[in-house]
Amino acid sequence: MKNLAPAIFPPMGIGDAKPTNKAVLDWVHEIATLTQPENIFWCDGSERENDFLIAESLKQDVLIELNQKKVPRSYLHRSNPNDVARVEQFTFVCTPTKEEAGPTNNWSDPAETYAKLRGLLEGAMRGRTMFVIPYMMGPADSPLTKVGFEITDSKYVVLSLSIMTRMGEIALKRLGHDPSAEWNRGVHSLLDVNPERRFICHFPQDNTIISVGSGYGGNVLLSKKCLALRIGSYLARTQGWMAEHTLILGVESPEGRKHYVAAAFPSACGKTNFAMLIPPAHFKGWKVTTVGDDIGWMRIRDGRLYAVNPENGYFGVVPGTSYKSNPNAMRSIAHDTIYTNVALTDDGDVWWEGKDGPPPVHAIDWRGNDWTPQSTEKAAHPNSRFTTGMRNNPALDPDVEKGEGVPISAIIFGGRRSDTVPLVYQAFDWNHGVYLGSTMASETTAAATGAVGRVRRDPMAMLPFCGYNIGNYFQHWLDIGNQLTNPPLIFNVNWFRKGSDGKFLWPGFGENMRVLKWIIDRCQGRGGALKSPIGWLPSPHDLDLAELDIDHNAVDELLGLDHEEWQKEIAAHKEFFDSLGGVVPEELQKQREQLAAGFDL
Ligand code: OXD
Ligand code: MN
């Protein structure tokens, strides 16, 4: 199998960036003794190392070279067709007790799981190279920044992490020599890429992750979902900060007044598009800048929340990305990008459903088969991805490396809902906002294996990523609120409401600036709103809809509350809370009762 490439032997000066911290060396020795690799490659993320690994990957078919004139320094990777998304059913939180993992996580006993994984890893890297990757999550001088090491037998992982994290010397420096320093231990092996031997296991108390049997980014770039969210959320609770599934963007008015907002939407619900939004012509002089597109780490400072993006790059969904939907993403992925599971055109370019222009008359699809516009299969997998450095983004926020983070004025929750949920509304206060987040729901997407389009509750967009008991997580949000003297305002948005004809009512993309503008107005104590049972709702004239071609009835529908739909929604909130088996904090139960009373329930 092409992913399971034989060992590589680098020339002098490459693969020899051996760390000095004794705890790290002891751990690497332990894993090498277990997995028995042919050799150990100590990564430093340098350009020379990258060039060498790309050359080897091309030789071993891990990467396919693209037309370097069309997409310079960019490559295509095809994953095993059985391995194209996160596998929530095989993702485990291994805390000493089941209660600590809580009702929303798969739990397995740590001792038994270590034993099972050791069995699977025994001799797993024979004949292969074991890569040791030091990386850092967060800006160099942030108190939130964490160091991790990932051991892997995949060159794709090394090349991807060199984009997605700050890798090499910078991480070793941050860690230092203290063998008791905090750092994350991550072990990944492709094994034989067999779904029956695919397990993504987290040991929060040990700050350890072991992932086997997959090569898909969300399962194997351990910095991202595994460390920055699952282990991160556990550390955040014990250390008094927040690790959230949020984009972070800056929005600057023509007068130069700047606000930052964090928005938590579930996977493949438009976080990257929102984070890179270009305001429509009507909003002349307004500017949106990206701090992060997927993960926000936040801490309290002077009574406010400040956020950093722990990542260094974007691992975004490709289909639907175009110069119309997201010009900044298109510019970001025009060079120095690894594409995974998109189609390859006859002239060596990449293609996907939703790209600008007509489809190619012939291409090779994501599985490596011939494809034409007449084919019934998709050319690109619906969860095909780009991996690209954040510095490729023309709208990158200038304060992305600021160690103290950026001050957050608003937190926005949102999901994909065809009905019930209005375009935007504002929570009455922090605790009510926590209730909005805890009950949010979304139609499932291709980002995880399983049915697509099913409405599921996804609290704070963290259902697959909260590394401990969700009831304690809700309480953590409430506790953080108690410590904030200047808390962000909390909002809920829904770009995806449909009319009776089944069509989206709201144009979305750049036009979301109109909603963002109302949110910023509210943060500045301006912007009209009516008090409704679900929160503060704008009336149509409170939103700036000038020069937007939208029907008045559509706006009424977008902002309307349907009594019966809400009665069902509140019943679903209760069902969800009940399904969690008594872990939901009293305060949120009280919020639900107040909401129900507003709908005569
Ligand atoms: C992602 C996800 O890849 O949420 O960001 O699945
Ligand atoms: Mn995500």
Side-chain angles (χ1 to χ4, degrees):
M1 188 181 301
K2 59 176 176 284
N3 278 329
L4 310 184
I8 54 172
F9 293 93
M12 287 278 287
I14 295 184
D16 57 5
K18 194 168 173 173
T20 50
N21 188 299
K22 182 161 172 344
V24 176
L25 293 173
D26 287 351
W27 168 73
V28 173
H29 179 73
E30 180 197 325
I31 303 302
T33 306
L34 177 67
T35 57
Q36 297 168 31
E38 183 80 15
N39 55 345
I40 300 181
F41 187 115
W42 306 93
C43 302
D44 65 4
S46 65
E47 223 168 280
R48 250 190 102 205
E49 174 180 295
N50 249 40
D51 290 347
F52 172 73
L53 290 176
I54 287 169
E56 290 298 312
S57 301
L58 292 171
K59 267 193 241 160
Q60 298 176 348
D61 284 346
V62 173
L63 294 181
I64 296 166
E65 184 152 44
L66 295 169
N67 183 326
Q68 295 295 298
K69 286 214 176 78
K70 288 185 182 277
V71 254
R73 300 171 303 280
S74 300
Y75 302 90
L76 168 64
H77 172 75
R78 292 197 190 114
S79 76
N80 190 311
N82 77 29
D83 186 30
V84 291
R86 284 185 292 98
V87 282
E88 294 177 6
Q89 68 280 32
F90 303 130
T91 298
F92 292 86
V93 172
C94 309
T95 42
T97 65
K98 192 170 182 337
E99 287 64 40
E100 283 163 274
T104 55
N105 281 311
N106 298 315
W107 174 81
S108 66
D109 175 76
E112 279 171 25
T113 312
Y114 274 130
K116 178 175 82 178
L117 293 169
R118 258 189 221 114
L120 289 168
L121 285 168
E122 207 177 320
M125 297 190 192
R126 257 185 224 133
R128 300 187 203 171
T129 297
M130 182 174 108
F131 300 93
V132 183
I133 311 167
Y135 66 88
M136 194 175 81
M137 299 301 282
D141 60 349
S142 172
L144 287 174
T145 291
K146 301 286 182 199
V147 170
F149 281 80
E150 177 163 350
I151 287 177
T152 179
D153 53 9
S154 158
K155 289 183 282 299
Y156 170 75
V157 167
V158 183
L159 291 168
S160 301
L161 274 202
S162 80
I163 295 173
M164 294 301 296
T165 71
R166 294 153 176 95
M167 184 172 149
E169 181 62 28
I170 193 166
L172 297 180
K173 219 166 118 197
R174 171 94 184 190
L175 177 68
H177 298 284
D178 178 1
S180 65
E182 180 196 284
W183 54 280
N184 180 266
R185 292 151 173 76
V187 180
H188 165 247
S189 174
L190 291 159
L191 302 184
D192 56 353
V193 197
N194 180 339
E196 285 175 17
R197 283 186 283 282
R198 184 167 296 156
F199 302 106
I200 323 298
C201 301
H202 306 74
F203 302 86
Q205 278 85 353
D206 301 342
N207 205 347
T208 292
I209 305 154
I210 304 179
S211 165
V212 294
S214 172
Y216 170 72
N219 300 326
V220 302
L221 307 179
L222 302 184
S223 58
K224 191 173 179 65
K225 300 303 174 179
C226 301
L227 170 55
L229 287 179
R230 296 197 191 93
I231 299 278
S233 60
Y234 171 87
L235 293 175
R237 176 164 176 256
T238 54
Q239 299 171 354
W241 51 281
M242 302 172 90
E244 300 298 329
H245 194 197
T246 56
L247 67 91
I248 307 159
L249 63 80
V251 50
E252 194 176 330
S253 71
E255 303 77 46
R257 188 129 188 228
K258 192 158 183 182
H259 287 269
Y260 288 93
V261 310
F265 308 159
S267 310
C269 286
K271 282 202 295 301
T272 306
N273 289 342
F274 195 41
M276 296 183 180
L277 181 151
I278 296 183
H282 173 64
F283 288 83
K284 196 162 177 294
W286 286 84
K287 209 166 119 193
V288 171
T289 47
T290 318
V291 178
D293 81 326
D294 193 42
I295 297 172
W297 283 355
M298 298 187 272
R299 74 185 181 110
I300 303 169
R301 190 171 160 258
D302 301 332
R304 295 191 76 175
L305 275 182
Y306 279 73
V308 297
N309 169 18
E311 301 194 279
N312 195 45
Y314 311 127
F315 179 64
V317 176
V318 178
T321 307
S322 66
Y323 278 99
K324 186 157 171 273
S325 66
N326 191 341
N328 283 326
M330 289 301 283
R331 286 179 198 120
S332 304
I333 64 180
H335 58 96
D336 298 280
T337 294
I338 300 176
Y339 288 90
T340 302
N341 292 339
V342 297
L344 177 66
T345 64
D346 293 349
D347 58 354
D349 201 353
V350 279
W351 191 79
W352 52 83
E353 280 75 11
K355 196 179 182 186
D356 308 87
V361 291
H362 175 265
I364 304 295
D365 73 11
W366 67 275
R367 293 172 200 261
N369 299 326
D370 285 313
W371 182 92
T372 69
Q374 284 71 45
S375 299
T376 51
E377 302 278 338
K378 296 246 187 257
H381 187 276
N383 192 38
S384 51
R385 296 282 178 147
F386 57 75
T387 309
T388 201
M390 68 177 177
R391 280 166 199 82
N392 281 9
N393 177 5
L396 188 67
D397 190 88
D399 283 345
V400 74
E401 293 287 356
K402 207 170 176 176
E404 72 188 33
V406 295
I408 298 296
S409 300
I411 293 177
I412 307 174
F413 295 118
R416 212 177 255 275
R417 295 293 300 271
S418 313
D419 50 40
T420 315
V421 181
L423 178 64
V424 60
Y425 60 103
Q426 181 193 338
F428 296 124
D429 55 27
W430 178 272
N431 284 4
H432 181 229
V434 175
Y435 179 79
L436 299 191
S438 69
T439 53
M440 70 185 249
S442 192
E443 290 151 25
T444 49
T445 67
T449 49
V452 168
R454 181 176 57 83
V455 173
R456 75 166 180 179
R457 297 289 139 193
D458 188 351
M460 283 82 172
M462 282 288 279
L463 182 75
F465 308 121
C466 178
Y468 62 99
N469 190 306
I470 197 85
N472 294 339
Y473 171 75
F474 293 158
Q475 188 59 52
H476 184 53
W477 267 81
L478 296 169
D479 293 343
I480 290 280
N482 278 333
Q483 298 167 60
L484 296 171
T485 47
N486 189 1
L489 302 186
I490 300 184
F491 297 81
N492 198 85
V493 298
N494 177 23
W495 316 137
F496 301 94
R497 199 164 182 181
K498 289 179 180 167
S500 46
D501 57 0
K503 293 206 175 112
F504 289 117
L505 289 163
W506 181 246
F509 304 109
E511 304 299 346
N512 293 337
M513 181 65 210
R514 297 170 191 275
V515 174
L516 186 56
K517 166 80 169 35
W518 182 76
I519 289 172
I520 298 304
D521 283 348
R522 297 293 293 170
C523 292
Q524 294 180 166
R526 301 201 299 250
L530 294 170
K531 196 166 185 186
S532 85
I534 66 167
W536 293 103
L537 258 176
S539 53
H541 63 261
D542 294 322
L543 294 177
D544 184 346
L545 301 175
E547 296 172 34
L548 178 66
D549 182 18
I550 191 167
D551 189 278
H552 284 300
N553 294 334
V555 178
D556 287 343
E557 262 188 86
L558 275 163
L559 296 174
L561 293 184
D562 181 301
H563 206 82
E564 255 174 52
E565 280 181 351
W566 271 93
Q567 287 188 330
K568 276 195 212 138
E569 179 71 11
I570 295 161
H573 293 182
K574 178 164 185 335
E575 208 178 293
F576 176 59
F577 278 3
D578 289 350
S579 77
L580 300 178
V583 303
V584 177
E586 201 49 45
E587 170 61 24
L588 298 186
Q589 299 285 10
K590 223 174 68 199
Q591 292 284 343
R592 198 198 62 77
E593 281 158 26
Q594 274 165 17
L595 174 64
F599 286 92
D600 315 318
L601 284 168

